[in-house]
Amino acid sequence: MSMFRLASIKSSEITPREIFQARRKIIKASLGLTAAALLPTAAHAEKKPFEAVPIGPYSGDFPVTDYEDVTHYTNYYEFTTNKTGSTMLAQALKTEPWQVEVSGEVEKPGVYHLEDILKKNSLQERIYRFRCVEAWSMVVPWIGFPLSDMLKTFKPTSRAKFVEFTTVYQPENMPGQRSKSLDWPYTEGLRIDEAMHPLSFIATGMYDDELPKQNGAPLRLVVPWKYGFKSIKAIVKIRFTETMPQTAWHKAAPDEYGFYANVNPNVPHPRWSQARERILGAGLFASKRDTEMFNGYAEHVAYLYKGMDLSRYI
Amino acid sequence: MRLKKPHWLAIKAVVFFVSLWPLVQLIIDGMNDGLGANPVETLHLTLGRWALRFLCLTLALTPLRRLSSQSWPLRFRRMLGLFTFFYASLHLLVFLWLDIEFSWHYFRQEVADTPYLLLGLATYCLLLPLALTSTVNMQIRLGRYWKTLHKLIYPAAILALLHYFMLVKSDLNQPLIYAAVIFILLVVRIQSKRIA
């Protein structure tokens, strides 16, 4: 059986172009208003680089979280465990030049320049829910391309059953990497069918703009049906493997973080409930939201885990 | 110069208002949209941290008295102890109100199987009788039992620390600092007992 079985997108699931373009205008208008209200500076009045990028499939029309919140509340342990502190510290990251080393079970291994990867993949926007394992969530309009588009250009072999991603190791600019809060560099992984699923996305921008460093610039993964820690930031290595790769959080606490890390309200974290989530930017008195199975993407991804006991494969 | 009663009153008033400052700061931040993307979490964690800090300060007074061979630190024991309880109460209130929404359903769903939250509740249950018996009147009525009862602050400190340790994902630096402080404050007591 081919490992590259792609989920077929039913034509009924794809929003007609006219409709999404119209929605997009409404969203953009409201975004523009928020941005203008928050930051009436000349820099932000400028045209953003990805304003003309079209909306892709699977993009939801959920209310988008404020840019300020998304950029000032990030888990980036390479800098600090403080979610606000990472905003400033991350600016020290050196992102130019940027290369991605592709290895393992592929026909075209090698070191790829970021510009070459970007040239080969056309950009689209995806408005996705993002659910952190810490029980908070947000909605982010990512700019990027499907992960499968990029992976296919490296021509994985039939022995490629998993994909492993590695974050940059830059201890001179990443103070958190000088302490042992996790085993650096950060690594994550996906089963090949998860990686090839059309929902899996590589982001190089967000909110029509470049990807801020604290949000994973210049290249990050976005897997919306899994807890946020799977969506690895600042990727420098992609390795195709036959066996399941080790992941950073699994190494740190194997009984708490599994390889799959699918959002699942019915399986609590060993130390806290996953039944509800705090919506970022909703304010002091807003209720939490009931967490959805696979973060609301069950209809698209549930089949990937058919027959698996999801309380065991966490 | 020997300080007289009015002086002590003035000093106590200053300590009182300084101790209220963390709360005032949170209120100011709250009114200026300064609590960040997750304001409930900011409130909750800040109040919890201040409860733990006041607990450390309260525990520091007895060793301070021994070190300085002066009795003045004990004048602040009740006030700082009550501020510990005050911030712990607000910490719990934020949780029950803004997280659990005073709902039994959510309480069972999110607290019943969550050890670190149960530990937090247990800590509060230990602090509650201390606050209730903090008046001079209760001190007289309980007599020698009062001192025994107020030793509950030691298990409360240890439970509070465990509560903190269990909620952290991987970076133990912050709870370790508090653990070190509380460890020193407890060891100093054992040592000075031996010497005495």
Side-chain angles (χ1 to χ4, degrees), chain A residues 50-307:
Chain A
F50 303 132
E51 265 173 32
V53 170
I55 289 213
Y58 299 101
S59 201
D61 46 5
F62 328 113
V64 167
T65 306
D66 276 352
Y67 182 80
E68 278 294 296
D69 290 335
V70 177
T71 50
H72 289 78
Y73 195 83
T74 56
N75 271 321
Y76 210 156
Y77 281 23
E78 280 84 343
F79 294 100
T80 166
T81 52
N82 179 319
K83 288 193 265 292
T84 322
S86 44
T87 301
M88 203 185 71
L89 287 173
Q91 304 317 313
L93 180 73
K94 201 167 162 274
T95 55
E96 280 169 35
W98 197 269
Q99 293 170 331
V100 180
E101 183 195 308
V102 177
S103 65
E105 303 294 344
V106 274
E107 284 172 26
K108 296 172 80 178
V111 176
Y112 292 81
H113 290 281
L114 179 64
E115 301 79 57
D116 297 333
I117 292 174
L118 295 179
K119 244 183 270 165
K120 273 185 231 149
N121 295 280
S122 56
L123 295 177
Q124 50 175 274
E125 182 176 72
R126 296 267 178 107
I127 298 172
Y128 275 163
R129 288 190 189 288
F130 182 103
R131 167 64 156 78
C132 178
V133 74
E134 295 168 359
W136 53 266
S137 70
M138 56 187 181
V139 174
V140 183
W142 301 106
I143 303 281
F145 40 84
L147 174 64
S148 61
D149 285 4
M150 179 177 79
L151 296 186
K152 278 185 223 156
T153 62
F154 308 135
K155 297 207 183 298
T157 72
S158 60
R159 279 198 298 272
K161 305 282 195 320
F162 295 91
V163 193
E164 180 195 68
F165 303 89
T166 307
T167 295
V168 70
Y169 184 68
Q170 232 178 67
E172 66 280 17
N173 300 323
M174 298 174 121
Q177 284 183 336
R178 288 178 236 144
S179 79
K180 269 276 158 208
S181 51
L182 285 172
D183 190 8
W184 309 115
Y186 194 90
T187 57
E188 257 307 336
L190 292 172
R191 223 167 54 189
I192 197 82
D193 55 346
E194 297 175 322
M196 290 299 179
H197 191 282
L199 271 175
S200 296
F201 200 64
I202 288 285
T204 59
M206 64 181 208
Y207 294 82
D208 291 341
D209 215 334
E210 303 286 351
L211 196 60
K213 288 181 175 173
Q214 66 272 29
N215 294 91
L219 197 71
R220 73 168 292 170
L221 183 64
V222 182
V223 194
W225 73 92
K226 292 177 180 283
Y227 291 121
F229 66 86
K230 293 295 288 182
S231 294
I232 183 170
K233 293 168 171 169
I235 298 166
V236 289
K237 281 183 194 168
I238 298 173
R239 194 165 65 95
F240 294 79
T241 62
E242 225 177 334
T243 52
M244 186 181 277
Q246 273 280 17
T247 61
W249 276 105
H250 182 72
K251 268 192 271 178
D255 51 330
E256 298 192 341
Y257 309 100
F259 176 81
Y260 288 96
N262 292 314
V263 175
N264 187 342
N266 309 315
V267 178
H269 183 280
R271 288 183 284 146
W272 58 80
S273 163
Q274 295 289 23
R276 295 191 300 153
E277 65 207 37
R278 173 73 60 196
I279 301 171
L280 290 195
L284 257 186
F285 301 102
S287 286
K288 292 203 250 177
R289 173 180 184 275
D290 286 331
T291 293
E292 292 177 67
M293 191 66 206
F294 297 112
N295 202 22
Y297 296 95
E299 56 170 322
H300 305 301
V301 298
Y303 75 92
L304 292 169
Y305 311 101
K306 212 180 261 169

Side-chain angles (χ1 to χ4, degrees), chain B residues 133-147:
Chain B
T133 58
S134 64
T135 59
V136 178
N137 185 17
M138 285 306 281
Q139 207 165 355
I140 293 164
R141 274 169 64 179
L142 286 171
R144 62 197 169 94
Y145 297 112
W146 190 87
K147 218 172 172 181

Side-chain angles (χ1 to χ4, degrees), chain B residues 61-81:
Chain B
L61 293 176
T62 301
L64 188 62
R65 184 194 60 172
R66 293 214 174 104
L67 270 173
S68 63
S69 333
Q70 297 200 7
S71 63
W72 65 263
L74 296 191
R75 289 172 184 266
F76 298 95
R77 203 160 56 169
R78 174 180 293 126
M79 190 181 6
L80 294 186

